[in-house]
Amino acid sequence: HHDPADPESLSSDQIYSILVDRHGQLWVGTASALDLFNPQTGKSKRYVPIEDANSLSGLPVNTIFEDRNGRLWLGTGSGLDQFNPVTETFFSYQPQPNDPNSLSDEQVTAIEEDLQGDLWVGTADSGLNRLSSQTGKFTRYQNRRGDQKSLSNDSILSIYQSKNGIIWVGTAGGGLNRYDFMTDTFTAFTEKDGLPNNVIYGILEDRENHLW
């Protein structure tokens, strides 16, 4: 737990995200920092936002994701950060008001990687973003009123790619969305289709390829 007198304790008792990386290291995203936590010693190394372009962009650390190349991606309250554990530096992606190919919102809530290596990034209020591994640019997907094939809701809570390659998106109020790569459109599944609720906090797939 957090001990104000111990700078090597957990940075905060408000924990938003946890990831065990491929090396078995435990990363903890809190309201105060990104912690590299050692369960054996109970000690943590903290990475906090400072006035430095290479530091963590902001707080809290809502979500932590490890891509196929072993890079860590962090969804924070101030954008999307890529973290290099070797150099211990952060590279931040943030919304640019005049650039439609930039991240759509600062509050990043969910991250997933597809089979092509593109990164799907969900935001709290401004929809979904697809970061191209080829161009480094974002494509935005947002709800368009009256368009049944657009994203059903701009508040994203979860993103999951199933074994067959389909991207599924859980929203806060618009149910579950399935993205079709061929048509670049979405299909929404809501309470009308039998969902018990239109708020989808998490998505997992079982051995029978059923989604939960």
Side-chain angles (χ1 to χ4, degrees), residues 23-158:
H23 305 295
Q25 297 186 112
L26 181 63
W27 299 90
V28 182
T30 78
S32 302
L34 171 68
D35 288 10
L36 175 54
F37 185 73
N38 185 325
Q40 276 74 45
T41 63
K43 303 284 188 186
S44 73
K45 180 172 185 177
R46 302 176 187 176
Y47 299 91
V48 299
I50 54 174
E51 291 295 320
D52 179 342
N54 293 320
S55 78
L56 184 67
S57 65
L59 297 167
V61 180
N62 295 315
T63 186
I64 311 170
F65 179 82
E66 183 180 20
D67 70 16
R68 65 182 66 175
N69 296 314
R71 294 174 300 194
L72 290 188
W73 295 86
L74 313 165
T76 79
S78 298
L80 174 71
D81 286 11
Q82 185 189 113
F83 177 62
N84 184 329
V86 178
T87 60
E88 298 188 310
T89 55
F90 297 82
F91 180 82
S92 180
Y93 296 87
Q94 291 173 326
Q96 307 297 328
N98 300 319
D99 183 2
N101 293 121
S102 68
L103 188 67
S104 64
D105 188 58
E106 285 189 335
Q107 196 73 243
V108 174
T109 51
I111 305 169
E112 175 68 298
E113 184 180 28
D114 68 21
L115 297 174
Q116 298 166 194
D118 290 352
L119 213 65
W120 293 80
V121 182
T123 66
D125 296 305
S126 298
L128 190 63
N129 299 259
R130 182 183 185 177
L131 176 59
S132 168
S133 57
Q134 302 296 314
T135 67
K137 293 183 183 297
F138 291 91
T139 301
R140 298 177 181 179
Y141 297 94
Q142 295 169 319
N143 177 255
R144 294 187 299 274
R145 189 171 292 175
D147 184 351
Q148 298 294 315
K149 293 185 176 179
S150 70
L151 191 68
S152 67
N153 187 290
D154 284 337
S155 182
I156 310 300
L157 296 175
S158 49

